[in-house]
Every structure is written in structure tokens, then in C-alpha cells.
Amino acid sequence: MPSAISEIQQNIFSGVATDELPKKRRGEVRAQYLKARFSNIFPTGSSKEPVLLVGREGQMQQLAALADETLEVAPGKSAASIIGVVLHGPRGTGKTVLLNAFSVGMQGRGAGVLKMTGNNALGSEGKLIKTLVEQLPALPETTETLRGEGEVKASVMLVGADGRMGAEASTRSLGGKQRFGTVESALRAVLSQEGAAAGLPLVIAIDEAHASDPAALGQLLNAAQSLSGPDVGLAVAVVMAGTPDVIDVLRNEACRATWFMDRAGRNKRLAPVPNDLPPQACARAIALTLDAAGVAVKDAKHLAAMAAECKGSPYFLQVLGESALVDASKSGNVADFSSGGGIDLAFRDVVLARYEEAWGDLNEKGLSGCARQLGALWRARGEGRGRITDGLVKAAIASGVEHAPKGIGSDSPWTAKKAEAHFRHLGLLWSPTGSPTGPWGMGLPSIFGYVDQVFSSSDFPQHYAARPALEADMARIIGLAANPKADAAEESRDRDSSSRQPT
């Protein structure tokens, strides 16, 4: 059964289908299918909103609570503290979809939305200031003033509830060195105008936040905090989406934004988005969408079995759905999910290509041994069989570095610390709690089965030769972890380390 949707969630995400498809949407799906635009229905590998957004009720409720928190700030009053949510998790889990849906929902409730990306606007402080200044209206007197001295005619350039750019102009004196010399002065010039001060709430939506320059992101967060203070009284919420290492960026000394994830508000501010879609939700999303397209499912049990093969990945769900549409269009509008059929083969080809791409990157960089050990650790301790503690992860990665296949990968040797950071950057290793000491999860656990197959095959002699040493080392690591006292001590160290994080 689908999870219940709260009233507040229905409000902010009223335009997002999570359980059933509205009649109009069903008609759109059918039209797209007849035009063979299958990727518009199941948008594989894109940030487009899927026809049914399933399995993300928890994250949506968290964002909906943020919406109310933002809108409850009285006009002209200061917020208790900067408010926001960090959507963090492996690649391909739908973080951008959630960010965009939230932005649209907030526009519908009267908020302004300022969008930017970490790898562009937040690439440096200079780029951020330039991006903010570009929000000013392109009027001759404004352009001239930006080059000279004196007053700046600024404007609130935000996407409003009607989807149009608004312009509430006022005049401020920003002369001399203060003229757009800092992120805060640029942000104030754009946002803290008469219209905003009258009570317009603002959402700053940052995608690809992990690619941000720490100093630029820190400046933006500090400016947003200042704007929500008593002298301006603007309700500002910051929502960012990024891979797990966005947490590293926020903790970076140049960012100085650990206060954004303070201990008291960590669970409120961090929204993990893992590869964890329930098989039933995947099957439901596919079945209802196929029905809207006019495609019949030959056997619901076969569909359920294939949905389980998605391994909780939203990306794989979209791949399976698109494979079904393509095959059904050639087979009398009937989707046959049986093993060895067209859908099964097409789905597995795409999944295999995904694994090969990830494997190729790891192997080329000389990290295949680390991947093999992390996979072995996941099989021994993952999926509810025990915490994957920081000590276990460090031991597994150190083992992979030490016993890496000979003659494979980069000439530059990896340290265990750098290897761990790279796996976090790829999203293959992450902490859902945002703690730098775990407990850890694997972003795409199914990839490690592919890695193990390579190490088990004599067709790959260097990897095959390295396997015995890796196996022996992992047996030692797991053997130590099997000691209850060692486990308890490790967990205690994790908790102590986490509680000492700065606020």
C-alpha cells in the first residue's frame, strides 16, 4: 500500500503525483507513448520529474515542513536562525527532482525562488557576485550605475507565483568600496528591497551544491543569515542538493558553515536521499504509468520480480520503465517482464553498461581493490546485518590500497585517506546521518557484485591474482568485527566523535 501523504505535503507538492495519476496527466502519457517519446514518460538519467514520484514521502514531508517554517516568519521579523535543508545522497537518486518540485511548490505559495548551481554561480565568490548582479533589471541607468559611483537602482528579480519575473524597484546608496564588493552587498541589493521587506519569502535553491567553492557557499549562507536578521527581516530558506561530499564542503574551513548543520538541528536540516525505493513502489510506478499509456502487463508477478531487480535505484526504475515501453510498442502494446524476454534483456544491458562505466573509472584510477573490499564488507555487514563503522571502512580501504592488483591504474599511489574521499565523492560511500565518522552505507551496493565477478574471473589475471590476499585480509577485518566487545568499542568511538563535531 502506498504511504499516506500528509495535508501539508499535499499542499506544497500538490502538482506532484505520488499515488495516482490525474486524468489530464494520463492523457499526456498516452499522447507521448503514441508519439514514441518514451524518455519523456520515464526520464532516464535526467533531472525531469517522473510521472509518478514514488518512495520519497519522508523527504517531501521534510521539505513541506521547511515550507511552513519559512512562510510562518512574520513580515519584517527575523527568523530564529537560518532555515534550510540539505538533500544529500548518491548520484541518480532524485535529489534534483525533489529540489525542483519544492521550488515550484514554493512559488505556488507566493515565495520567490533564486536558482543557482554549485559548479557555475558558486564556482567562486566573483562568479557568485556576478550571478547576483545579473538578477538586476537590464535597464540603461542600472548598467551605467554599476560601472560608476552613487546610487544603485536595484530590484527584486525573482520567479513569482505566476511564473514571471517580478521587479519591485527601490533606490539604495551603495557607493565607494561597498558597491557590490561582497556577496552580502550584492545579495542585499537584489533581495532586500521594499517588496521583499513587505514580506516576500525567499528560497535560494542550489543544485550540484557539492561542486561549490567552499568560500563562495559560505559567503552566500552568511549573507542569507544576515538578511534573515532583525535589520532586514526577510524570510530566507536555503535548499541545496548534492552528492554526499556536499557535507565535506559545508564543513570546509573556508565555508565555515558547520552551524548550518548544528547538532540540535541536524536531523531537521539533513535529508538523505538514498537508493532505497521499495520494490512495491517501483512496481506500482511502472504499472500505473503503463496503464496510462495503454500498455497491458502480461504477468504482475514477473513485473514484481523485475521491479526488485531495480535494487532500490530510481535510475534503474526509469530504465526498466522505458525498456517496457519500447518493447511493448513492438509487441502489441503488451509488456512481458518474464526472464529472458525483451524487457529483461534491454534492462540488463543498460544496467551492465552502468556498472561497466563505474568499474572502468575505478579500475583506471587504481581503486578496484578498494571497491572489492568495500563490496565484501557490505555483504558481511550491510543490509541490516550490522553497522558499517568508520573503523571497518578505513580498514577495508587500506586493505584495498595495500593489495591493489599489480600494474593496474594510475602511476600516482593512493593513500587510504584520499581513496576514501574519492569514494565519497562518487557517492559509492556515504553517511546518511552526515557524520564524518559514519556509520557508512554503500551508495550503489549492486555495483560491488559486478566488481567481485571481475576478481573471481581468470579472464582478468591481475585482479584474479590479487583476490587471495584481499580475501584473507577481509576475513581478518570481519573476524575482528565479529568480536562484540570490539563492535561496542567502535560504535562508542563513532558516537563520541560525532558528538564532538563543531556547531
Side-chain angles (χ1 to χ4, degrees), residues 477-493:
I477 293 168
I478 296 301
L480 290 174
N483 182 335
K485 291 184 179 180
D487 246 7
E490 179 69 35
E491 291 186 17
S492 177
R493 283 193 296 273

Side-chain angles (χ1 to χ4, degrees), residues 5-189:
I5 308 297
S6 68
E7 183 178 346
I8 180 177
Q9 185 175 327
Q10 287 177 336
N11 190 357
I12 193 68
F13 292 107
S14 59
V16 179
T18 57
D19 291 322
E20 300 289 346
L21 284 176
K23 185 176 180 180
K24 179 182 178 182
R25 192 71 176 109
R26 289 177 61 87
E28 292 171 351
V29 171
R30 176 63 177 169
Q32 294 291 331
Y33 177 70
L34 293 175
K35 294 177 181 177
R37 295 176 179 171
F38 310 128
S39 60
N40 287 354
I41 302 173
F42 287 101
T44 302
S46 79
S47 59
K48 293 181 181 177
E49 184 182 307
V51 173
L52 275 174
L53 183 57
V54 297
R56 291 295 181 237
E57 288 80 9
Q59 291 86 354
M60 292 169 74
Q61 287 172 348
Q62 194 167 348
L63 288 168
L66 173 66
D68 269 18
E69 189 179 5
T70 306
L71 295 165
E72 283 173 0
V73 177
K77 302 294 184 182
S78 61
S81 63
I82 188 171
I83 48 185
V85 164
V86 182
L87 296 159
H88 68 113
R91 289 180 169 87
T93 57
K95 299 179 295 295
T96 300
V97 170
L98 288 167
L99 181 71
N100 291 341
F102 175 75
S103 298
V104 171
M106 285 298 285
Q107 289 171 20
R109 292 183 68 176
V113 178
L114 179 61
K115 295 183 178 180
M116 58 183 67
T117 60
N119 53 3
N120 189 3
L122 283 160
S124 67
E125 293 180 65
K127 287 183 179 179
L128 177 56
I129 292 175
K130 182 175 183 292
T131 298
L132 292 171
V133 171
E134 287 173 349
Q135 302 301 309
L136 298 172
L139 299 175
E141 62 268 29
T142 303
T143 304
E144 185 64 31
T145 304
L146 289 175
R147 296 196 191 101
E149 301 287 335
E151 295 184 338
V152 175
K153 190 174 183 181
S155 176
V156 180
M157 292 295 291
L158 304 172
V159 181
D162 58 359
R164 303 167 69 179
M165 297 297 283
E168 287 289 337
S170 68
T171 301
R172 300 189 51 169
S173 178
L174 290 172
K177 295 181 180 179
Q178 298 300 313
R179 189 182 68 256
F180 302 117
T182 66
V183 170
E184 183 174 335
S185 65
L187 189 59
R188 279 172 176 263

Side-chain angles (χ1 to χ4, degrees), residues 184-455:
E184 183 174 335
S185 65
L187 189 59
R188 279 172 176 263
V190 176
L191 304 177
S192 62
Q193 305 303 313
E194 292 176 0
L200 175 69
L202 170 70
V203 173
I204 300 177
I206 307 170
D207 200 11
E208 302 291 331
H210 57 275
S212 302
D213 172 66
L217 180 58
Q219 286 288 335
L220 180 64
L221 291 174
N222 284 319
Q225 185 181 42
S226 175
L227 286 170
S228 64
D231 63 328
V232 179
L234 179 62
V236 182
V238 179
V239 183
M240 59 186 81
T243 56
D245 53 342
V246 66
I247 308 300
D248 295 337
V249 175
L250 287 167
R251 288 198 184 95
N252 188 286
E253 185 177 353
C255 187
R256 298 183 182 277
T258 49
W259 49 268
F260 189 67
M261 305 181 299
D262 60 50
R263 284 195 299 266
R266 181 181 296 276
N267 292 336
K268 191 175 184 180
R269 301 298 172 220
L270 294 183
V273 189
N275 278 304
D276 69 344
L277 297 184
Q280 313 93 290
C282 293
R284 178 178 175 80
I286 291 173
L288 290 179
T289 306
L290 292 182
D291 182 67
V295 173
V297 175
K298 186 175 181 179
D299 189 317
K301 289 184 179 180
H302 287 156
L303 167 57
M306 284 298 298
E309 290 296 314
C310 292
K311 306 294 185 184
S313 167
Y315 174 80
F316 289 161
L317 165 61
Q318 301 303 310
V319 169
L320 181 57
E322 185 176 358
S323 299
L325 290 178
V326 172
D327 190 73
S329 68
K330 304 173 184 176
S331 307
N333 300 324
V334 176
D336 183 358
F337 289 90
S338 59
S339 178
I343 297 174
D344 181 35
L345 295 176
F347 171 73
R348 294 187 188 283
D349 280 348
V350 176
V351 171
L352 180 61
R354 178 84 160 187
Y355 290 161
E356 288 176 341
E357 180 183 9
W359 159 257
D361 177 65
L362 292 171
N363 195 43
E364 182 180 340
K365 288 183 169 63
L367 291 170
S368 59
C370 296
R372 192 272 166 194
Q373 295 302 73
L374 285 173
L377 181 60
W378 173 257
R379 285 190 296 277
R381 301 282 288 178
E383 297 179 326
R385 290 187 290 274
R387 287 162 53 97
I388 302 181
T389 62
D390 197 48
L392 288 174
V393 165
K394 283 180 167 51
I397 289 181
S399 172
V401 169
E402 181 180 357
H403 301 295
K406 304 299 182 184
I408 300 291
S410 172
D411 293 333
S412 302
W414 286 88
T415 64
K417 184 176 181 179
K418 287 184 177 179
E420 181 181 333
H422 189 68
F423 274 94
R424 289 203 309 273
H425 175 67
L426 295 175
L428 293 176
L429 175 67
W430 76 306
S431 171
T433 66
S435 168
T437 59
W440 298 98
M442 305 299 157
L444 188 63
S446 51
I447 177 64
F448 297 112
Y450 177 88
V451 172
D452 196 54
Q453 288 179 18
V454 172
F455 276 86

Side-chain angles (χ1 to χ4, degrees), residues 369 372 403-406 455 460-471:
R372 192 272 166 194
H403 301 295
K406 304 299 182 184
F455 276 86
F460 300 89
Q462 292 104 318
H463 301 85
Y464 190 71
R467 183 183 176 92
L470 291 168
E471 282 186 332

